[in-house]
Amino acid sequence: MSNSVFSVISRFVEEYRSSTPNKLKVIDAYLLYILLTGVFQFLYCVLVGTFPFNSFLSGFIACVGSFILAVCLRIQINPQNKRDFLTVSPERAFADFLFAHTVLHLVVVNFVG
Amino acid sequence: MAHLCLFSLLVLSMVLETQALTPTHHLTTTDVARLQAVLSQPFTDLKSAYYSVVGLSKLGILVADADETCQFIKSNLDPSSVESLFYAAEASQALSGCEIPVSNDTRDLLLATVSEDSTASQIHQSVSALSSLGLPLASQEVVSALKARISKEDNVLTIILALQTASRLSQQAELGDILEEIEDLAARLDDLSGVYLQFEEGLETTALFVSAAYALSDHVDMEPPLKEDQVIQLVNSIFSKKSWDSLSEAFSVASAAESLSNNRFHVPVIVSAQGPAAISHSQPFLRLQVTDVLCQPLSSASVLVESASTSSSKSAILSQAPFTLRDEVFELNFMASQPASGYYQFSVAIAGDSRFVANHVELKVKVSTRVAINNMDLSVVDKDQSTGPKTTRVEYPTKAKAPFMADSHQNFAMAFQLVDETTGVELTPHQTFVRLHNQKTGQEVVFVAEPDSKNLYKFELDTTERKTEFDSISGTYALYLMMGDATLENPILWNVADVVLKFLDEEAPSTIQAKTLYTPKPEIQHLFREPEKKPPTVVSNAFTALVLSPFLLLLILWVKLGANISNFTLSPSTFLFHIGHAAMLGLMYVYWTHLNMFQTMKYLAIIGSLTFLAGNRMLAQKAVKRIAAEQSSRLAKYRSLR
């Protein structure tokens, strides 16, 4: 059982390393970073306490929001999905990413207190 | 049976409805003097001269130095202004021997103003000026102009001015339509809780209405359609204000007062008692002042007491007794009927003139008397009735010589009678108290003495029963009898005797502490909201470092992946884009520390639009390059395939 899981994982990692374009790997690294930041914030909240709650919420929402936006960017940039996004060029996707981030930051900074 | 009930109910309601109103507000002599003073103020221009001179003439007062006033009027007259002519004409009319010179132009100007196109105020002023100056005018033209004016402007003041104007016209003119306006206007008055009747425009308008309505009614000799109650309500409204804001307001009040005291139909009567309405043996006369609204005594009136009855029993003591007039005051010797002390309800009627309004008045009269204490017997009674009571009689106002003892075996008792000094009738005043005052400790205890069925007052003190009131403090107490009533002329405080009280279970006599009612109370400490418990700084710092650590991981991964900025095109739009983007991030930080949302939005709009434009350019250039690269690579692949 564990053998098959291990083999699936190693196969997946091989595939990932070879066939994923570099651009997407860059975005994946960014995604990992955002994920870890969110996890550590949540860990603090669980261990130490929710004071000040609004700051925790804004930080956590920032992480979640950034993660979602980066995933969207990744999907839109991926050349394998080109058929689904005929009207959206990679540059346009990036511009959308930046704009959405501006709005997210505005809200987050308002709420962090 | 039901029919009888219904009928009696109907009769009762009718009786209640016919209860006429009497004025609750009226001018007293001081108020009239104040009105006169306001109107006598030195005048600055023709308008104030008009108000002063004509207002004082309405109060029946002649202006001092009439010649000077006449000169003033003549010098301030502007013959080209209708308003100025009006003031001058009316004022000179009120002064004796003051003639305003009139030229043909003046007359033509005044006659020309009488038309549909002038305002009601202008028509009123020109007609009054023509009338006062003795110039002829066409009454029918005026009437038609007024009617046209009323149909155009329906407000209250216009109609009042029309009424005033109509009262200056010839009696042959058709004033019927204008006369009907009085009734319509009366319907527009606001009834405030059944006491006041006034226009929403205010006191001045109401007063002007009254003087205009009565002026016109007198002129055509037809009774105005105002009910008696309405007249009284108008009196209440107009004379409720005792100090006036402006000269015009004072003038309107004086004008209304004059119309109400001098017209042919309704003269409200003001009845007031001179001093308090109280009678006693030293003051046996009930004195009433009967005046009109200007506080002028109505000497022609005859005042009659229709019935005088006690407030409680409603049995009539007096019926149809006339008042006699002496020095402009109506008086009646009520003590001659030998009334018992108490309150009496008088129903007074004022006759003598069919114009009198509110001539039935209800008065409450107090009859007071002096009280005498008879048969004051103080005794010490044995509780077990073994020995007979020792009674001592004390005469008012002396004090009993020996003190009385009362302890657990003996009670102290007091009995007395209260009678009217002159008639000997037994009295039951409202307040009969027995006060025991401990001279040493300052403590006092008050009891009520109650009368029995024979109106004999009794008071008994049982030391065992009452020891809580005395706090079981033995000692010598001074006994006082306190008596008072509204109808008593001589309230009594009499130190009757000294009583020595002995209580069982006596505590050591302590001085009575004054009640701690007015000493400062303990201070309340305000507890501010406790700030929430924060975790220690070490923990916070550690976790901050932990949260920031993935950024290092990100940089390491990016370097490993080979992320670089080799595609960085050196063009102004790129620079601008990156600077703008950095500026936006910096703005976010500044927003966190200093700004509010509105300022941030403002700056963001500016920086954002720049960044957008630059970014758009940059990305477009990138897109062009990418498409070119893709095309060239496709071309290369195509060539290699071939």
Side-chain angles (χ1 to χ4, degrees), chain B residues 273-280 283-287 335 364-368 486 489:
Chain B
Q274 199 182 42
I279 298 173
S280 61
Q283 172 70 300
F285 285 97
L286 177 64
R287 293 202 165 87
M335 283 313 268
K364 199 166 182 183
V365 178
K366 179 172 88 170
V367 176
S368 21
E489 285 196 322

Side-chain angles (χ1 to χ4, degrees), chain B residues 30-67:
Chain B
T30 38
D31 295 327
V32 175
R34 200 180 308 126
L35 185 61
Q36 189 186 330
V38 168
L39 290 168
S40 307
Q41 278 169 358
F43 30 83
T44 48
D45 60 357
L46 196 54
K47 185 171 178 179
S48 49
Y50 158 71
Y51 282 135
S52 294
V53 170
V54 181
L56 285 172
S57 77
K58 298 228 188 239
L59 291 177
I61 298 161
L62 295 169
V63 177
D65 43 280
D67 287 329

Side-chain angles (χ1 to χ4, degrees), chain B residues 45 76 155 255 353 389 394 433 479 502 506 591:
Chain B
D45 60 357
N76 282 44
N155 62 4
S255 205
D353 197 324
V394 191
F433 301 133
L479 186 96
K502 273 206 178 50
E506 186 191 323
Y591 174 33

Side-chain angles (χ1 to χ4, degrees), chain A:
Chain A
M1 186 60 188
S2 59
N3 239 2
S4 55
V5 169
F6 188 67
S7 61
V8 165
I9 292 176
S10 57
R11 177 83 194 288
F12 170 72
V13 169
E14 261 316 307
E15 278 273 348
Y16 180 78
R17 268 210 196 122
S18 51
S19 58
T20 331
N22 229 13
K23 271 210 178 118
L24 296 184
K25 282 198 191 145
V26 164
I27 296 180
D28 288 338
Y30 175 70
L31 284 173
L32 181 67
Y33 153 64
I34 294 288
L35 185 73
L36 285 176
T37 313
V39 163
F40 288 145
Q41 283 185 44
F42 191 71
L43 201 68
Y44 172 83
C45 197
V46 164
L47 287 178
V48 184
T50 57
F51 179 79
F53 196 50
N54 60 318
S55 309
F56 159 68
L57 277 183
S58 85
F60 196 66
I61 294 292
C63 291
V64 169
S66 306
F67 190 85
I68 293 169
L69 290 173
V71 165
C72 290
L73 180 68
R74 189 186 191 280
I75 292 175
Q76 287 177 335
I77 281 187
N78 199 345
Q80 290 171 335
N81 294 340
K82 204 145 174 205
R83 260 169 281 131
D84 297 326
F85 294 104
L86 284 173
T87 55
V88 181
S89 64
E91 288 76 25
R92 172 68 198 274
F94 183 64
D96 286 342
F97 173 76
L98 284 182
F99 176 70
H101 254 287
T102 310
V103 174
L104 178 69
H105 276 122
L106 205 62
V107 171
V108 160
V109 170
N110 187 30
F111 200 52
V112 79

Side-chain angles (χ1 to χ4, degrees), chain B residues 548-561:
Chain B
L548 291 175
S549 61
F551 189 64
L552 290 167
L553 178 67
L554 176 71
L555 290 175
I556 295 169
L557 280 174
W558 273 357
V559 165
K560 257 188 75 175
L561 284 170

Side-chain angles (χ1 to χ4, degrees), chain B residues 569-579 610-611 613-619 621:
Chain B
T569 49
L570 290 159
S571 77
S573 49
T574 327
F575 279 123
L576 208 58
F577 168 73
H578 280 103
I579 290 168
L610 282 171
T611 314
L613 291 169
N616 197 16
R617 238 282 172 87
M618 180 193 80
L619 285 175
Q621 287 170 351

Side-chain angles (χ1 to χ4, degrees), chain B residues 106 119 145 162 213 218 237 282 412 419 430 461 526 624 629:
Chain B
T106 318
T119 62
D218 276 354
S237 303
S282 50
F412 172 76
V419 296
H430 285 159
L461 182 62
H526 179 76
V624 163

